[in-house]
Amino acid sequence: FEYRMLSGLTGVGKTDLLMKLREAGEQVLDLEGLANHRGSLLGGAGMPAQPSQKMWESMIVAELRSFDTSRPVFIESESSKVGNRSVPPALWLAMKTAGRYEVQVPVAVRVQ
């Protein structure tokens, strides 16, 4: 796959942008959604328990298998862990070399 990474500070709307891309018909791998975790700052507060590591990896594989390999996959920049789940090594390597799109918004918007 050709991955396209959305990166940026917490609160800039990366997840919202991913959902808009999905609604527009783009292929989106939502690691935070699959992991029931919002990322480092917001965590899993108010979310269901995280799936086991094995279940999470199975969910990622199932999602990737549903995609067209000739089209790009949009993904949010993450650390090597999403909550207590580790990004599979092959995916992590692909993410590190993916093309990046930096999402930026003014501080006043981020704190809303």
Side-chain angles (χ1 to χ4, degrees):
F1 290 104
E2 175 192 343
Y3 292 98
R4 296 187 181 170
M5 182 89 64
L6 299 183
S7 61
L9 299 172
T10 297
V12 297
K14 297 180 298 287
T15 301
D16 290 341
L17 183 53
L18 279 179
M19 296 307 105
K20 294 289 186 194
L21 287 166
R22 181 179 278 162
E23 288 171 13
E26 298 295 340
Q27 299 183 134
V28 171
L29 181 60
D30 180 10
L31 293 176
E32 290 181 356
L34 293 174
N36 293 331
H37 200 275
R38 293 187 193 103
S40 60
L41 180 64
L42 301 173
M47 300 195 68
Q50 287 196 277
S52 68
Q53 180 70 33
K54 187 171 188 107
M55 176 59 76
W56 189 54
E57 290 182 17
S58 295
M59 293 162 61
I60 292 169
V61 169
E63 188 84 2
L64 290 173
R65 284 186 177 160
S66 75
F67 292 157
D68 178 347
T69 58
S70 69
R71 296 179 51 221
V73 174
F74 289 87
I75 190 167
E76 186 172 339
S77 177
E78 301 288 353
S79 69
S80 62
K81 294 188 79 160
V82 180
N84 292 322
R85 300 299 156 251
S86 296
V87 176
L91 179 57
W92 177 242
L93 181 61
M95 290 170 65
K96 288 177 22 177
T97 60
R100 291 185 180 266
Y101 297 87
E102 182 75 22
V103 181
Q104 298 179 355
V105 297
V107 172
V109 173
R110 289 180 55 218
V111 297
Q112 289 180 352

mmCIF file of all heavy atoms in Angstrom, residues 29-48:
data_model
loop_
_atom_site.group_PDB
_atom_site.id
_atom_site.type_symbol
_atom_site.label_atom_id
_atom_site.label_comp_id
_atom_site.label_asym_id
_atom_site.label_seq_id
_atom_site.Cartn_x
_atom_site.Cartn_y
_atom_site.Cartn_z
ATOM 1 N N LEU A 29 -7.345 3.944 7.361
ATOM 2 C CA LEU A 29 -7.058 2.991 8.427
ATOM 3 C C LEU A 29 -7.040 3.784 9.732
ATOM 4 O O LEU A 29 -6.108 4.549 9.996
ATOM 5 C CB LEU A 29 -5.717 2.301 8.192
ATOM 6 C CG LEU A 29 -5.315 1.256 9.233
ATOM 7 C CD1 LEU A 29 -6.346 0.125 9.301
ATOM 8 C CD2 LEU A 29 -3.938 0.703 8.921
ATOM 9 N N ASP A 30 -8.082 3.635 10.530
ATOM 10 C CA ASP A 30 -8.244 4.389 11.774
ATOM 11 C C ASP A 30 -7.729 3.549 12.945
ATOM 12 O O ASP A 30 -8.491 2.820 13.586
ATOM 13 C CB ASP A 30 -9.708 4.765 11.961
ATOM 14 C CG ASP A 30 -9.979 5.552 13.230
ATOM 15 O OD1 ASP A 30 -9.004 5.991 13.895
ATOM 16 O OD2 ASP A 30 -11.159 5.729 13.571
ATOM 17 N N LEU A 31 -6.450 3.651 13.223
ATOM 18 C CA LEU A 31 -5.842 2.853 14.290
ATOM 19 C C LEU A 31 -6.435 3.181 15.653
ATOM 20 O O LEU A 31 -6.669 2.287 16.469
ATOM 21 C CB LEU A 31 -4.328 3.049 14.314
ATOM 22 C CG LEU A 31 -3.571 2.513 13.101
ATOM 23 C CD1 LEU A 31 -2.094 2.868 13.213
ATOM 24 C CD2 LEU A 31 -3.760 1.014 12.964
ATOM 25 N N GLU A 32 -6.671 4.460 15.913
ATOM 26 C CA GLU A 32 -7.248 4.843 17.205
ATOM 27 C C GLU A 32 -8.644 4.269 17.364
ATOM 28 O O GLU A 32 -9.003 3.781 18.436
ATOM 29 C CB GLU A 32 -7.278 6.361 17.350
ATOM 30 C CG GLU A 32 -5.917 6.983 17.525
ATOM 31 C CD GLU A 32 -5.974 8.495 17.701
ATOM 32 O OE1 GLU A 32 -7.078 9.087 17.617
ATOM 33 O OE2 GLU A 32 -4.913 9.096 17.913
ATOM 34 N N GLY A 33 -9.443 4.327 16.315
ATOM 35 C CA GLY A 33 -10.795 3.777 16.369
ATOM 36 C C GLY A 33 -10.778 2.282 16.621
ATOM 37 O O GLY A 33 -11.530 1.768 17.453
ATOM 38 N N LEU A 34 -9.914 1.571 15.902
ATOM 39 C CA LEU A 34 -9.812 0.125 16.084
ATOM 40 C C LEU A 34 -9.300 -0.239 17.476
ATOM 41 O O LEU A 34 -9.662 -1.273 18.026
ATOM 42 C CB LEU A 34 -8.899 -0.487 15.018
ATOM 43 C CG LEU A 34 -9.406 -0.429 13.575
ATOM 44 C CD1 LEU A 34 -8.339 -0.939 12.613
ATOM 45 C CD2 LEU A 34 -10.695 -1.222 13.414
ATOM 46 N N ALA A 35 -8.465 0.634 18.049
ATOM 47 C CA ALA A 35 -7.874 0.370 19.368
ATOM 48 C C ALA A 35 -8.709 0.909 20.530
ATOM 49 O O ALA A 35 -8.331 0.744 21.686
ATOM 50 C CB ALA A 35 -6.471 0.971 19.440
ATOM 51 N N ASN A 36 -9.833 1.568 20.222
ATOM 52 C CA ASN A 36 -10.644 2.197 21.278
ATOM 53 C C ASN A 36 -9.793 3.115 22.149
ATOM 54 O O ASN A 36 -9.819 3.049 23.377
ATOM 55 C CB ASN A 36 -11.335 1.138 22.157
ATOM 56 C CG ASN A 36 -12.368 0.355 21.402
ATOM 57 O OD1 ASN A 36 -12.975 0.854 20.456
ATOM 58 N ND2 ASN A 36 -12.562 -0.882 21.785
ATOM 59 N N HIS A 37 -9.044 3.973 21.485
ATOM 60 C CA HIS A 37 -8.146 4.883 22.209
ATOM 61 C C HIS A 37 -7.972 6.138 21.373
ATOM 62 O O HIS A 37 -7.789 6.068 20.165
ATOM 63 C CB HIS A 37 -6.792 4.207 22.425
ATOM 64 C CG HIS A 37 -5.983 4.808 23.508
ATOM 65 N ND1 HIS A 37 -5.173 5.895 23.307
ATOM 66 C CD2 HIS A 37 -5.858 4.480 24.816
ATOM 67 C CE1 HIS A 37 -4.579 6.201 24.445
ATOM 68 N NE2 HIS A 37 -4.974 5.360 25.373
ATOM 69 N N ARG A 38 -8.011 7.306 21.993
ATOM 70 C CA ARG A 38 -7.932 8.567 21.261
ATOM 71 C C ARG A 38 -6.526 9.111 21.102
ATOM 72 O O ARG A 38 -6.344 10.199 20.606
ATOM 73 C CB ARG A 38 -8.797 9.613 21.960
ATOM 74 C CG ARG A 38 -10.256 9.320 21.897
ATOM 75 C CD ARG A 38 -11.038 10.495 22.459
ATOM 76 N NE ARG A 38 -12.403 10.119 22.683
ATOM 77 C CZ ARG A 38 -12.940 9.838 23.852
ATOM 78 N NH1 ARG A 38 -12.203 9.902 24.947
ATOM 79 N NH2 ARG A 38 -14.194 9.505 23.958
ATOM 80 N N GLY A 39 -5.536 8.403 21.544
ATOM 81 C CA GLY A 39 -4.178 8.906 21.456
ATOM 82 C C GLY A 39 -3.647 9.270 22.824
ATOM 83 O O GLY A 39 -4.314 9.125 23.835
ATOM 84 N N SER A 40 -2.446 9.781 22.860
ATOM 85 C CA SER A 40 -1.723 9.941 24.117
ATOM 86 C C SER A 40 -2.390 10.883 25.111
ATOM 87 O O SER A 40 -2.436 10.593 26.293
ATOM 88 C CB SER A 40 -0.294 10.409 23.835
ATOM 89 O OG SER A 40 -0.316 11.646 23.153
ATOM 90 N N LEU A 41 -2.913 12.010 24.669
ATOM 91 C CA LEU A 41 -3.453 12.998 25.603
ATOM 92 C C LEU A 41 -4.841 12.618 26.103
ATOM 93 O O LEU A 41 -5.115 12.658 27.299
ATOM 94 C CB LEU A 41 -3.502 14.382 24.944
ATOM 95 C CG LEU A 41 -4.037 15.511 25.813
ATOM 96 C CD1 LEU A 41 -3.124 15.734 27.011
ATOM 97 C CD2 LEU A 41 -4.168 16.779 25.008
ATOM 98 N N LEU A 42 -5.721 12.213 25.205
ATOM 99 C CA LEU A 42 -7.109 11.947 25.583
ATOM 100 C C LEU A 42 -7.337 10.507 26.008
ATOM 101 O O LEU A 42 -8.278 10.207 26.728
ATOM 102 C CB LEU A 42 -8.037 12.311 24.423
ATOM 103 C CG LEU A 42 -7.950 13.776 23.988
ATOM 104 C CD1 LEU A 42 -8.773 14.004 22.743
ATOM 105 C CD2 LEU A 42 -8.385 14.699 25.100
ATOM 106 N N GLY A 43 -6.498 9.616 25.568
ATOM 107 C CA GLY A 43 -6.535 8.224 25.998
ATOM 108 C C GLY A 43 -7.836 7.508 25.720
ATOM 109 O O GLY A 43 -8.537 7.790 24.769
ATOM 110 N N GLY A 44 -8.152 6.588 26.603
ATOM 111 C CA GLY A 44 -9.331 5.758 26.439
ATOM 112 C C GLY A 44 -10.497 6.205 27.286
ATOM 113 O O GLY A 44 -11.468 5.464 27.434
ATOM 114 N N ALA A 45 -10.446 7.404 27.845
ATOM 115 C CA ALA A 45 -11.520 7.895 28.710
ATOM 116 C C ALA A 45 -12.850 7.863 27.973
ATOM 117 O O ALA A 45 -12.983 8.382 26.871
ATOM 118 C CB ALA A 45 -11.208 9.309 29.176
ATOM 119 N N GLY A 46 -13.821 7.203 28.592
ATOM 120 C CA GLY A 46 -15.154 7.142 28.015
ATOM 121 C C GLY A 46 -15.287 6.191 26.838
ATOM 122 O O GLY A 46 -16.305 6.190 26.163
ATOM 123 N N MET A 47 -14.278 5.385 26.594
ATOM 124 C CA MET A 47 -14.322 4.446 25.470
ATOM 125 C C MET A 47 -14.365 3.019 25.998
ATOM 126 O O MET A 47 -13.955 2.768 27.131
ATOM 127 C CB MET A 47 -13.104 4.653 24.572
ATOM 128 C CG MET A 47 -13.046 6.071 24.000
ATOM 129 S SD MET A 47 -11.922 6.270 22.635
ATOM 130 C CE MET A 47 -12.694 5.314 21.369
ATOM 131 N N PRO A 48 -14.844 2.085 25.170
ATOM 132 C CA PRO A 48 -14.812 0.678 25.588
ATOM 133 C C PRO A 48 -13.377 0.221 25.833
ATOM 134 O O PRO A 48 -12.428 0.871 25.387
ATOM 135 C CB PRO A 48 -15.407 -0.064 24.388
ATOM 136 C CG PRO A 48 -16.069 0.964 23.543
ATOM 137 C CD PRO A 48 -15.390 2.270 23.839
#
